Amino acid sequence: MSEKAGRVDGDPVRPGTYARVERERRFLLAAPPTPSAVTATRVITDRYLPGTRLRLRRTESPYGSAELKLPQKVPAARPGTVQGLVTNIYLSPAEYDVLATLPARTLTKTRFSVPPLGIDVFAGRLRGLVLAEAEFATDTEVESFAPPSECVAEVTDDARFTGGRLVRATRAELLTWLAEYGIRPGVC
């Protein structure tokens, strides 16, 4: 492969015509945000396609509209705030339905916008996980960000708290990981 975005053989991640650099920091929270702090709410269903860097995403607003897309994430060579490259293909309902027939592992979460954070409250076997993300346009913004006091621990460099790993996590694994950070959600 030449000097193009998406190169995966160990070279640094570079943006390309269709890909953007994803810079983010991730934090664990002990509880969901207070409703008065929330500016928007969406339900997100991610279908991770095994053996690929692709996920099929359905984002539903409370008003019934849905955004359908096929993101590809090319991870950076090492942990840190530069997560890698991301590209998105926006889909029609018919295109989404065709791709949704592929085998996949699924995560469902409710995303609450509490600027500058997107706070994900997970469902199913990941209930009790509250993960906040802040995205940045520049390295300077990343370095100068001071997380709010609600953030229990930064997990930007903990690969267990990435979607690709969480989608395979068991309930017992999640509870163990959270306990390492002093978070003990209800067992029910």
Side-chain angles (χ1 to χ4, degrees), residues 123-142:
R125 72 185 180 290
L126 299 179
R127 70 191 173 284
L129 174 59
V130 182
L131 191 60
E133 294 182 352
E135 292 192 10
F136 307 94
T138 68
D139 292 338
T140 302
E141 290 175 5
V142 170

Side-chain angles (χ1 to χ4, degrees), residues 82-94:
V82 173
Q83 302 295 302
L85 293 174
V86 64
T87 57
N88 286 298
I89 298 172
Y90 291 87
L91 304 170
S92 71

